[in-house]
Amino acid sequence: MAFNEDSRVKLPAILHLTQLGYKYLSLKNEVWDEETNIFRNIFNESIAKINKNISAEDINRLYLDVSLSLANEDLGKVFFEMLSNRSGIKLIDFENFENNDFHVVTELPYKNGEDNFRPDIITLINGMPLAFIEVKKPNNRNGVIAERDRINSRFKNKKFRKFINLTQFMIFSNNMEYDDNEIEPWQGAYYASPSYHKLHFNYFREEIGFNLSQVLKPVDATMEDFLLKDTNYQALKNSSEYLTNKNPDSPTNRILTSMLSKERLKFILQYALAYVKEVNGLEKHIMRYPQLFATKAIEAKLDAGIRKGIIWHTQGSGKTALAYYNVNFLTDYYQKQHIIPKFYFIVDRLDLLTQARDEFTARGLKVHTVNSREQFVADLKKTTAVNNDQGKREITVVNIHKFEDDPTVSKTTDYNINIQRVYFLDEVHRSYNPDGSFLANLEESDRNAIKIGLTGTPLIGDSLKSKDLFGDYIHKYYYNRSIADGYTLKLIREEIATEYRIILKNALDNIDIKKGDTDRKLLYSHPSFVAPMLEYIVNDFEEFRLRNTDPSVGGMVICDSSEQAREMFSIFNKVYAEYEENEVLSMAAEPRTNYKELLNEECRVKKAALILYDSGSKEELGTWRDDFKAGKIDFLFVYNMLLTGFDAKRLKKLYLGRVIKSHNLLQALTRVNRKYGTYKYGYVVDFADISKEFDKTNKAYFDELQEVLGDEMESYSNLFMSKEEMEACIREIKEVLADYDLKNAEHFSSQISQISDQGEMQRIKKALEDARALYNNIRYAGEYELLESMDFRKLGTLYIEASNHLALINAKNALEHNEEIGNLLNMALEDIVFGFRKIGESELVLAGELKDILKRTREALAGNFDTKDPEWISLYEELRRLFDGKNLNEVSQEEMKTNITSLKSIHEKIKELNRRNELLKDKYNGDPKYARVQKRLLEAGRPSKIKTAIIEALQKVKEQTDIAVLDRNDSLHNESYFGRIVAKLVLNEFKKTIDTNLDFETVEFIRDLIVEEYLNEYHGKIA
């Protein structure tokens, strides 16, 4: 049985929000400004309430300022500053958050001309729609992915700028638990902040929990009846699916509680949003859930009088961003106590100082960097936190070496009850030896300071532990949870090919070095060794790009010594210079038009940078680092720099030329673990054989985690994909596919063609998809004996068969259930754009126009509530005939022009049909059930009277039937009983309005139509 997303997810979610304190509004009774979607009446009343003695003129001026701010090309930054402002005229009362007005509506149209969309659920604060929720029914992968594509497409549309700028965050849910093994998250409940480009969907895993008896109000039965009546879902009231999904512990309702309960929403709006100037423009970030709960944990420690501790968050989890968020949070925390906080971010290297300065500046903090001990002493003596005339919040970034043994540092700060210094200590696994002067002088600089250590790899040795120096762990977020949340990736360790091992060994044997002068640095930096090593690296990386059809990824070589790095860079430039000159001549003589040749060209490694402490000025090193992040440099050659704190998402392949010890090894390896595109892994090519050192290091951290996490340990596993995991994956794949013939593709195709269940087919496809990914992983890892366990190449063929059959099931469901109409055509049209990009601009323009008009037509068809209408069916079949049996990549310009003309005609017709349908639906208070009943009656010519009389009779029947359904909760349990109620109402009203001699057969016909509509709704069927 197919179930409706309204009954299973949307309506229970709206009801849950009313229990969280939001008042449900019917759009039938409300007026809003369609330019902004702000509800002016509510806005005016709320602003007057939270701003005492404000005049109507001031409110109008404020609204005009808000409306103007929403028109900016700034992702809503100016509006957000107005929203979060707590002085002067306020848009939100953060001091008394309950003093604001909270509402929830459904299907509010966000429109600009013909372009429009209607989020499923929208929450308002003081009449402003600040968040919305999109829901899908469970087990609807294509629906969720398509919804994400649509929202990304809408947010790129400049016509929706005002709405994007107004929205603070969004929630997406299909009411399922997370599947932590998915590459592209689709199953579960996610949240995102707005973007003009592409949204990033975040997991939310509640860590603190709620006392629901205090957070949730009891269900208001009158309000529930109003909600169901207003949305024309009276029949759902006792549907088993609806009752089940009212559960506050459902995945959708959990995330609503976590993010939209009032105290949590207040925190998010005040502290969890940040505007960041990235290389490619302004972005709006929202706290990841571990950052949120780390902030809450810091608050709890401070409340308990604990003044130091460690945040153990894995590399790539955003520790600098966490410090930024806490500058804002702790400023308010201390200001409530009439204390002025001063913030310091302590690093131990100049490059990290520069990096931290840039990250804080990008987020809008005023950043001071201390360049001498004298400056640091002067800063410590200041009794104010503000060193700028703009009133911006600020932080001082200081190198730990400013705490050298100097009495002027350790004796300068007197205890001041009105000043609270907060030290964020970056990477507390280095440079903090208790025997040295840095740590002692850090302590002496202010014994009353709050000290928050940040690390992804705390020191855990027998002789020196980070927590012994800086206190217990405040909050922990280790790499396996980060991997499951999609923030970081697992790694695959590749050994170099055997033939290259021989080449490199021969190179070493042939290097002529005098006896006694066998310094390994000389050996490994000799041109005879470096040249073949570099050749292997360049060839391997170019193949990696080609294999993934992705020239955008970057690589890094961690060299054995600075001498080796210089030699490698020198040889690279010589080879590149020769290549470039020859290639320019070659391309001038014979321009490449073949796509494969163009891809080969794009995937070549063309530009590299040498990053050593003395390889350039500070400015040059910064430029090269930024150019690599921006994709202007293909490769980095490093020795000790950029091994920690360097966050470049496109860095996907690391070439490790030396063994790195303990925590430094994990720091280096995780340079390639950042989320990027659809990559499921980061790749490490191991020239140095780090396996033993990694196993030793990883075990030490696991032992530490066992001590501090206890039972939680079972959720942690290896950073690398292990042989055991591969074997377990093979067993799971075999289990799913056990009933099918995996040797004969024809038999397999015949077997799966009997499957009509979408969920079962998805399981089969996923198993075959996992097998395809596993085949590459096994080869990468060198576990070749595992390739004998299954015929992976045959499974690749079967995957195509499974994908095709699942597509057919989806297409059938789309036609039958008016869901994702034309999804397959949309997928095909993606290929059109790709195909014509290879040929010429005119074809690309035409393909884009074709795709756009098809999208509009598909959405218009999908928006129709009556798929049994002969006119709708005719239009859908006409659309399908346009594309059936055609290879869309080979459609000519003329065919495209013809198709565009045909599509425009279909689009106009479906728009007109939808317009008439909406008018008809309005006759029944927006209820599509009775609109469909009227159409079936008119189509059948029963009764053969004027339309107005039928409408009048059906309106009366609807009014009384809806009351009966709500008053008699059990009426829909008994179809026969319910049928008798409807028959009596039909007989009475149609006799009065149409025909006193109405025959019983006609009464039965009308009764059956109405009963079917209510029962379909009750059982969650899509009519």
Side-chain angles (χ1 to χ4, degrees):
M1 184 185 291
F3 303 124
N4 188 317
E5 69 188 32
D6 286 355
S7 65
R8 301 182 74 184
V9 193
K10 185 175 84 172
L11 291 172
I14 294 173
L15 185 66
H16 187 76
L17 285 167
T18 66
Q19 291 183 265
L20 289 171
Y22 294 76
K23 181 181 178 182
Y24 175 73
L25 294 180
S26 168
L27 295 183
K28 298 165 189 171
N29 307 319
E30 296 294 331
V31 178
W32 60 93
D33 182 350
E34 293 188 1
E35 287 294 310
T36 62
N37 272 3
I38 293 174
F39 289 60
R40 281 300 306 274
N41 291 340
I42 299 173
F43 178 86
N44 291 351
E45 291 172 10
S46 301
I47 298 303
K49 180 173 62 172
I50 67 176
N51 296 279
K52 299 302 181 187
N53 303 318
I54 188 172
S55 67
E57 292 77 13
D58 285 338
I59 293 175
N60 286 334
R61 275 195 295 271
L62 176 65
Y63 183 77
L64 180 61
D65 290 341
V66 166
S67 184
L68 289 172
S69 75
L70 294 175
N72 294 338
E73 287 286 322
D74 65 349
L75 206 51
K77 187 173 186 292
V78 170
F79 171 69
F80 177 73
E81 289 166 355
M82 296 175 66
L83 191 72
S84 52
N85 179 42
R86 281 172 271 177
S87 61
I89 298 177
K90 297 176 291 189
L91 289 174
I92 293 179
D93 186 350
F94 285 107
E95 298 303 316
N96 180 10
F97 203 61
E98 286 285 350
N99 195 31
N100 300 291
D101 292 306
F102 302 86
H103 295 90
V104 56
V105 299
T106 180
E107 306 287 346
L108 177 67
Y110 286 52
K111 60 184 180 181
N112 188 312
E114 268 195 41
D115 296 290
N116 70 87
F117 66 99
R118 296 169 182 255
D120 294 310
I121 305 169
I122 305 93
T123 57
L124 316 174
I125 302 183
N126 298 338
M128 297 175 288
L130 300 184
F132 67 76
I133 303 112
E134 290 283 7
V135 298
K136 288 291 174 188
K137 65 180 182 179
N139 296 309
N140 184 14
R141 185 181 196 280
N142 289 337
V144 173
I145 299 301
E147 183 61 50
R148 289 189 179 167
D149 290 344
R150 278 196 294 274
I151 201 70
N152 280 324
S153 174
R154 288 164 185 156
F155 275 34
K156 291 174 185 175
N157 188 338
K158 290 192 175 184
K159 292 183 178 180
F160 294 135
R161 280 292 187 261
K162 280 194 173 184
F163 305 130
I164 300 164
N165 292 346
L166 183 66
T167 302
Q168 301 307 301
F169 63 90
M170 299 140 286
I171 294 171
F172 299 82
S173 176
N174 64 351
N175 215 28
M176 297 176 72
E177 302 296 344
Y178 297 124
D179 179 353
D180 293 342
N181 296 314
E182 281 289 339
I183 297 176
E184 182 173 16
W186 69 272
Q187 175 178 322
Y190 303 89
Y191 67 104
S193 50
S195 170
Y196 290 160
H197 307 291
K198 185 176 181 180
L199 304 183
H200 179 79
F201 295 90
N202 298 275
Y203 291 69
F204 198 105
R205 303 182 199 265
E206 180 63 46
E207 294 184 6
I208 297 175
F210 296 87
N211 183 338
L212 293 181
S213 64
Q214 295 178 2
V215 175
L216 292 181
K217 300 176 182 178
V219 172
D220 182 329
T222 302
M223 189 286 310
E224 182 177 17
D225 285 351
F226 173 66
L227 166 64
L228 294 175
K229 186 175 180 181
D230 184 61
T231 54
N232 293 297
Y233 276 111
Q234 296 92 331
L236 287 185
K237 188 167 183 181
N238 287 287
S239 153
S240 58
E241 293 78 28
Y242 171 70
L243 293 174
T244 298
N245 287 304
K246 285 166 67 172
N247 178 6
D249 196 42
S250 73
T252 302
N253 290 344
R254 282 205 308 268
I255 196 171
L256 295 183
T257 303
S258 289
M259 299 197 72
L260 289 168
S261 57
K262 290 181 183 176
E263 276 303 309
R264 192 61 66 75
L265 177 60
K266 175 185 174 183
F267 178 91
I268 290 171
L269 292 177
Q270 285 184 291
Y271 307 117
L273 296 164
Y275 284 87
V276 186
K277 290 181 181 177
E278 297 281 16
V279 175
N280 297 321
L282 191 68
E283 292 184 2
K284 186 172 188 175
H285 292 185
I286 187 167
M287 265 188 180
R288 300 172 182 180
Y289 79 85
Q291 293 169 333
L292 187 153
F293 291 117
T295 303
K296 289 287 188 182
I298 290 170
E299 179 185 28
K301 292 290 186 184
L302 294 176
D303 286 346
I306 298 169
R307 308 187 68 78
K308 66 178 183 177
I310 296 172
I311 303 290
W312 181 3
H313 282 195
T314 188
Q315 300 89 338
S317 58
K319 292 185 284 295
T320 308
L322 174 64
Y324 162 79
Y325 289 125
N326 272 273
V327 167
N328 290 320
F329 176 75
L330 293 176
T331 295
D332 286 354
Y333 178 87
Y334 282 111
Q335 284 182 349
K336 289 173 187 173
Q337 305 170 40
H338 307 292
I339 293 171
I340 299 171
K342 294 183 68 175
F343 298 97
Y344 298 84
F345 193 79
I346 315 298
V347 299
D348 66 346
R349 287 210 317 263
L350 286 175
D351 61 317
L352 295 180
L353 182 145
T354 301
Q355 187 169 307
R357 178 202 65 198
D358 292 349
E359 287 203 40
F360 287 130
T361 301
R363 286 171 169 79
L365 285 183
K366 180 69 176 177
V367 182
H368 310 287
T369 54
V370 173
N371 297 312
S372 69
R373 286 191 295 276
E374 290 73 25
Q375 283 184 355
F376 184 52
V377 169
D379 191 88
L380 288 172
K381 285 183 175 180
K382 288 180 181 175
T383 57
T384 174
V386 179
N387 291 312
N388 63 87
D389 56 8
Q390 299 172 340
K392 281 186 175 182
R393 291 183 171 176
E394 60 186 40
I395 193 166
T396 299
V397 182
V398 56
N399 193 313
I400 188 69
H401 296 90
K402 304 307 172 194
F403 291 90
E404 278 185 309
D405 197 7
D406 187 318
T408 60
V409 173
S410 58
K411 296 180 181 178
T412 50
T413 56
D414 297 321
Y415 182 69
N416 185 334
I417 196 170
N418 294 318
I419 293 288
Q420 177 61 67
R421 294 180 182 84
V422 179
Y423 291 157
F424 294 102
L425 308 162
D426 193 30
E427 311 292 6
V428 289
H429 50 263
R430 296 191 310 243
S431 304
Y432 295 98
N433 190 326
D435 297 331
S437 64
F438 300 156
L439 190 59
N441 284 326
L442 172 65
E443 183 67 25
E444 285 291 321
S445 68
D446 184 355
R447 290 192 173 276
N448 191 50
I450 303 299
K451 299 179 182 68
I452 300 172
L454 306 171
T455 182
T457 51
L459 296 174
I460 55 175
D462 294 332
S463 59
L464 186 61
K465 293 189 176 184
S466 293
K467 66 179 181 179
D468 291 341
L469 301 177
F470 299 101
D472 285 332
Y473 302 116
I474 297 173
H475 191 260
K476 301 167 294 295
Y477 184 69
Y478 201 47
Y479 55 67
N480 268 63
R481 179 53 65 206
S482 178
I483 289 167
D485 290 339
Y487 297 130
T488 57
L489 307 175
K490 271 205 167 191
L491 304 180
I492 287 182
R493 174 179 164 269
E494 303 176 30
E495 294 184 349
I496 61 171
T498 304
E499 59 269 28
Y500 262 91
R501 286 184 179 277
I502 296 169
I503 291 170
L504 293 174
K505 184 178 183 305
N506 290 338
L508 286 175
D509 291 342
N510 293 328
I511 294 172
D512 183 22
I513 295 181
K514 295 177 182 177
K515 268 191 174 181
D517 188 15
T518 56
D519 186 333
R520 63 187 301 276
K521 284 201 295 188
L522 294 176
L523 284 170
Y524 291 124
S525 62
H526 195 282
S528 298
F529 179 84
V530 172
M533 181 179 178
L534 178 62
E535 181 186 16
Y536 180 87
I537 290 169
V538 170
N539 288 340
D540 178 78
F541 187 68
E542 289 178 350
E543 287 175 11
F544 176 75
R545 281 177 158 183
L546 280 167
R547 188 163 55 243
N548 291 287
T549 323
D550 185 4
S552 74
V553 291
M556 177 191 281
V557 184
I558 300 178
C559 296
D560 181 69
S561 64
S562 58
E563 288 82 0
Q564 186 190 66
R566 292 181 203 282
E567 185 61 34
M568 196 167 283
F569 184 59
S570 173
I571 295 174
F572 179 90
N573 281 332
K574 288 174 186 173
V575 172
Y576 169 68
E578 293 171 5
Y579 156 76
E580 183 179 43
E581 185 179 348
N582 293 336
E583 211 47 48
V584 168
L585 292 172
S586 169
M587 289 186 71
E590 186 181 349
R592 288 182 170 87
T593 56
N594 179 275
Y595 172 70
K596 211 168 204 177
E597 288 186 19
L598 287 171
L599 181 63
N600 284 337
E601 177 59 31
E602 287 181 355
C603 289
R604 288 192 183 278
V605 178
K606 302 181 180 71
K607 190 169 183 181
L610 176 67
I611 307 291
L612 301 173
Y613 74 95
D614 60 351
S615 61
S617 67
K618 186 166 70 171
E619 290 73 21
E620 286 173 322
L621 290 173
T623 299
W624 296 333
R625 182 193 67 197
D626 292 343
D627 282 353
F628 180 82
K629 287 184 177 182
K632 298 175 184 177
I633 291 175
D634 300 303
F635 240 90
L636 296 174
F637 297 106
V638 306
Y639 172 51
N640 268 341
M641 294 186 72
L642 302 188
L643 303 192
T644 64
F646 180 58
D647 186 359
K649 296 177 177 61
R650 64 182 287 263
L651 176 53
K652 280 291 143 286
K653 198 147 195 184
L654 186 72
Y655 295 85
L656 199 57
R658 63 187 173 95
V659 174
I660 305 174
K661 297 291 184 180
S662 64
H663 61 273
N664 293 320
L665 176 59
L666 284 183
Q667 288 282 344
L669 292 176
T670 52
R671 293 314 96 207
V672 291
N673 77 344
R674 304 311 196 259
K675 181 86 171 178
Y676 187 70
T678 58
Y679 286 86
K680 194 172 183 178
Y681 300 97
Y683 297 88
V684 178
V685 179
D686 184 7
F687 284 88
D689 193 5
I690 60 163
S691 52
K692 288 182 181 177
E693 181 62 33
F694 175 78
D695 291 342
K696 175 184 168 186
T697 300
N698 207 42
K699 184 180 184 304
Y701 279 104
F702 269 48
D703 291 343
E704 178 77 357
L705 278 171
Q706 183 73 61
E707 183 181 328
V708 298
L709 294 178
D711 294 340
E712 289 182 51
M713 262 304 294
E714 63 187 39
S715 67
Y716 293 95
S717 61
N718 206 316
L719 177 60
F720 285 102
M721 189 175 194
S722 65
K723 182 178 180 181
E724 290 73 22
E725 285 181 292
M726 293 176 185
E727 290 172 337
C729 195
I730 289 171
R731 288 194 296 273
E732 289 173 14
I733 292 167
K734 285 183 173 180
E735 187 66 24
V736 172
L737 303 175
D739 295 334
Y740 302 96
D741 187 341
L742 305 182
K743 295 180 179 178
N744 186 311
E746 284 298 334
H747 288 171
F748 176 81
S749 181
S750 176
Q751 288 170 334
I752 64 172
S753 67
Q754 307 303 312
I755 299 173
S756 58
D757 180 67
Q758 189 180 46
E760 173 64 15
M761 203 60 234
Q762 283 175 337
R763 275 197 339 122
I764 294 168
K765 182 190 171 189
K766 185 177 185 303
L768 292 166
E769 192 172 24
D770 289 344
R772 189 169 61 169
L774 186 61
Y775 172 65
N776 292 324
N777 294 337
I778 289 171
R779 291 190 302 124
Y780 278 136
E783 302 289 352
Y784 297 110
E785 69 275 12
L786 295 180
L787 294 177
E788 305 302 318
S789 59
M790 290 193 296
D791 187 346
F792 285 94
R793 293 185 182 277
K794 175 66 75 175
L795 294 182
T797 302
L798 303 185
Y799 170 78
I800 296 171
E801 291 296 316
S803 298
N804 290 338
H805 185 60
L806 180 59
L808 286 174
I809 293 175
N810 289 337
K812 183 180 178 183
N813 287 345
L815 179 60
E816 289 178 354
H817 303 304
N818 186 22
E819 180 182 50
E820 301 308 330
I821 302 297
N823 189 49
L824 298 175
L825 297 178
N826 266 357
M827 291 166 63
L829 282 170
E830 294 294 337
D831 292 336
I832 279 187
V833 175
F834 181 76
F836 284 103
R837 188 181 291 122
K838 294 182 290 191
I839 297 171
E841 186 62 29
S842 59
E843 289 91 342
L844 178 59
V845 170
L846 276 173
E849 185 181 353
L850 180 61
K851 181 178 178 180
D852 181 64
I853 189 62
L854 175 59
K855 171 179 171 291
R856 292 174 184 274
T857 307
R858 180 192 64 78
E859 288 180 349
L861 279 164
N864 189 289
F865 59 77
D866 186 13
T867 56
K868 291 182 179 177
D869 186 328
E871 189 176 349
W872 185 93
I873 294 170
S874 173
L875 289 170
Y876 180 65
E877 290 298 328
E878 190 178 342
L879 173 68
R880 199 162 64 174
R881 279 194 299 273
L882 278 179
F883 300 100
D884 270 354
K886 293 184 180 178
N887 183 349
L888 296 179
N889 277 332
E890 297 175 0
V891 175
S892 68
Q893 280 197 42
E894 288 307 312
E895 285 176 300
M896 274 199 287
K897 288 177 181 176
T898 302
N899 285 348
I900 289 169
T901 301
S902 301
L903 276 170
K904 284 180 177 177
S905 172
I906 296 171
H907 182 229
E908 289 303 317
K909 289 175 184 175
I910 188 63
K911 273 173 55 184
E912 174 58 21
L913 177 60
N914 287 352
R915 185 190 67 80
R916 296 198 308 270
N917 276 354
E918 290 300 314
L919 289 174
L920 178 57
K921 192 169 69 170
D922 287 345
K923 295 290 183 184
Y924 302 102
N925 201 25
D927 191 341
K929 296 194 297 294
Y930 282 87
R932 287 190 290 264
V933 169
Q934 179 189 318
K935 290 170 76 174
R936 300 297 89 82
L937 288 177
L938 292 174
E939 287 162 10
R942 300 170 66 176
S944 56
K945 295 291 180 181
I946 57 175
K947 189 188 298 185
T948 53
I950 293 174
I951 291 173
E952 186 179 340
L954 284 176
Q955 285 173 335
K956 293 288 186 181
V957 172
K958 169 180 164 53
E959 182 181 332
Q960 295 174 70
T961 305
D962 286 348
I963 292 171
V965 169
L966 286 174
D967 287 350
R968 288 295 306 271
N969 294 338
D970 60 343
S971 60
L972 291 172
H973 286 303
N974 187 327
E975 184 175 341
S976 174
Y977 169 72
F978 182 62
R980 288 197 297 275
I981 293 176
V982 174
K984 183 178 178 182
L985 293 173
V986 167
L987 188 62
N988 289 341
E989 296 303 331
F990 274 74
K991 271 190 173 184
K992 273 193 254 178
T993 309
I994 297 175
D995 188 352
T996 54
N997 298 312
L998 193 67
D999 65 275
F1000 188 68
E1001 187 180 343
T1002 299
V1003 171
E1004 280 190 323
F1005 180 71
I1006 300 170
R1007 177 203 64 190
D1008 290 346
L1009 288 174
I1010 295 172
V1011 169
E1012 181 186 14
E1013 288 287 347
Y1014 276 94
L1015 290 177
N1016 279 344
E1017 184 175 273
Y1018 176 69
H1019 292 297
K1021 287 183 178 178
I1022 300 173

